[in-house]
Amino acid sequence: HLGPAFACQQRLSLTHQNWRFAAQFAKDAGEPIWQKKPSVGIDFMSAYVAWDAPDSKIVLQKMIAGAYQVQWGQGLQLWSSRGLGKSIELLQLAKNPLGIKPYQGRDEQRFLQGVAGSLHLADHEILYFASFKHTDFRPQLDTLQDEINFSYTSGLHRTSTEISKRKQGQEQLYGIGIRRKTNMWQYGTLLLYQQLRARSFLDTMIFNSLPKTLSFWSAGAYAQATWRQFYFYTEWATVLSHETRFYNASAFNVAFVYYLARHLEFGLHVRNYGPYYEAFYANPIGNTSKGANERGCIFQLKW
């Protein structure tokens, strides 16, 4: 390790009326205190400014500039925060998306950076966001690699090899979504653009070996509801590509939970992730939280 063996984190948070400001500086054990390349400075820095509407009747409900997270649907298309990826409990896997929220965590990879906000129109919530950041980067050189996420996500920069991956990628995400929520049900749809490319000074031979699908559009929809003894959730997403069949570039999951009696619960979950479906920030219901392509079915009878 090239740095001292202690970890350090400093946070600053300020709140005034409906405004919030926060910043943080952090390094992990073994990392240099001051990194020199490719970006000079403390290993990890983040900050945000957020505003929340004082009244639910105002059209502009939320606005964030800086570091933030997006939780959408069941995590199949976009879920920047981490979550549980494997369990036999279907209700533990079910997610309650919070939309956009400010970020001040220690995870150096799974967050967005830019501007985001939400509008309230005719009982619907409209989310918009734009993100641009430099992220750790590891090219997908092996076609059998099971990760949908192409980034190097450990967040550790202690050795020469780890530092060589630090902030070597330029990541961009732009999206707009609309959803409606009540106490019993919610549904929504999202249009998302994702791009990841190597910085200009990275080896051109490595850049030329990258797959062409590092820049693409995707569309998705989700719904979840509770009615009497029934609980239901589903999400579908697809990469908008003319180079492959629609079915191979799509992914979906659907689940039903039925309470037969007070202590008797029946559940069924079916999922299918096409071999050409991709997402930078996927946290779907599967055997891995990274979003491996797979096909599966869970049958649950619980007493």
Side-chain angles (χ1 to χ4, degrees):
H1 295 174
L2 302 180
F6 69 88
C8 177
Q9 182 182 26
Q10 298 293 323
R11 286 180 174 178
L12 172 66
S13 299
L14 300 174
T15 303
H16 177 68
Q17 294 180 354
N18 299 321
W19 290 89
R20 287 179 291 164
F21 167 80
Q24 73 164 328
F25 307 89
K27 69 171 288 293
D28 296 307
E31 293 179 341
I33 298 176
W34 191 260
Q35 297 281 12
K36 296 182 179 180
K37 61 179 183 180
S39 298
V40 178
I42 298 174
D43 184 76
F44 178 57
M45 298 178 289
S46 69
Y48 71 82
V49 176
W51 177 83
D52 295 320
D55 191 344
S56 60
K57 298 181 180 180
I58 299 178
V59 174
L60 180 61
Q61 285 291 301
K62 186 180 297 185
M63 182 173 58
I64 304 173
Y68 62 93
Q69 288 187 332
V70 178
Q71 296 180 354
W72 186 263
Q74 292 297 311
L76 189 59
Q77 188 179 9
L78 179 60
W79 193 281
S80 60
S81 57
R82 298 187 184 272
L84 185 64
K86 184 177 182 180
S87 174
I88 62 172
E89 291 283 356
L90 294 184
L91 291 180
Q92 288 185 8
L93 291 174
K95 294 177 171 59
N96 183 26
L98 299 178
I100 58 173
K101 61 178 183 178
Y103 177 74
Q104 200 183 20
R106 287 292 302 271
D107 195 321
E108 301 180 18
Q109 299 297 319
R110 295 193 69 88
F111 71 95
L112 305 183
Q113 182 172 275
V115 295
S118 66
L119 307 174
H120 187 266
L121 293 173
D123 295 329
H124 287 75
E125 181 184 8
I126 300 176
L127 276 72
Y128 61 90
F129 56 89
S131 173
F132 177 88
K133 72 172 185 176
H134 292 122
T135 182
D136 291 1
F137 186 71
R138 179 182 61 191
Q140 185 187 24
L141 302 179
D142 186 359
T143 57
L144 298 179
Q145 182 176 337
D146 63 353
E147 292 185 16
I148 290 177
N149 194 327
F150 298 131
S151 298
Y152 176 75
T153 58
S154 76
L156 299 175
H157 312 111
R158 304 162 299 182
T159 65
S160 299
T161 301
E162 292 175 347
I163 293 176
S164 67
K165 300 180 179 69
R166 179 176 178 263
K167 297 187 177 182
Q168 293 284 16
Q170 291 181 348
E171 177 191 275
Q172 297 183 56
L173 277 85
Y174 304 97
I176 183 169
I178 181 171
R179 65 177 181 173
R180 186 179 181 186
K181 298 177 62 177
T182 69
N183 294 331
M184 305 260 321
W185 50 267
Q186 62 174 291
Y187 64 84
T189 182
L190 175 68
L191 181 64
L192 178 65
Y193 174 76
Q194 302 171 80
Q195 182 189 84
L196 178 64
R197 65 187 181 92
R199 297 181 73 165
S200 58
F201 54 79
L202 194 65
D203 191 342
T204 56
M205 294 185 63
I206 296 179
F207 181 79
N208 292 333
S209 67
L210 298 176
K212 297 179 181 180
T213 53
L214 287 178
S215 176
F216 55 89
W217 288 86
S218 66
Y222 82 93
Q224 57 190 87
T226 301
W227 181 71
R228 294 184 178 179
Q229 291 90 5
F230 285 95
Y231 181 72
F232 163 79
Y233 60 86
T234 184
E235 185 173 17
W236 159 86
T238 184
V239 174
L240 305 178
S241 173
H242 301 288
E243 300 178 358
T244 184
R245 294 182 178 180
F246 175 82
Y247 177 79
N248 291 333
S250 300
F252 73 87
N253 60 48
V254 57
F256 298 90
V257 178
Y258 178 64
Y259 298 93
L260 299 170
R262 184 176 180 181
H263 299 290
L264 188 60
E265 177 185 317
F266 166 81
L268 179 65
H269 172 81
V270 178
R271 64 177 180 268
N272 183 79
Y273 307 147
Y276 298 105
Y277 175 74
E278 296 170 326
F280 288 175
Y281 294 94
N283 192 5
I285 300 171
N287 289 331
T288 172
S289 61
K290 296 180 180 179
N293 299 320
E294 62 177 287
R295 200 176 281 175
C297 177
I298 300 174
F299 172 79
Q300 175 180 290
L301 187 61
K302 179 183 177 182
W303 177 61

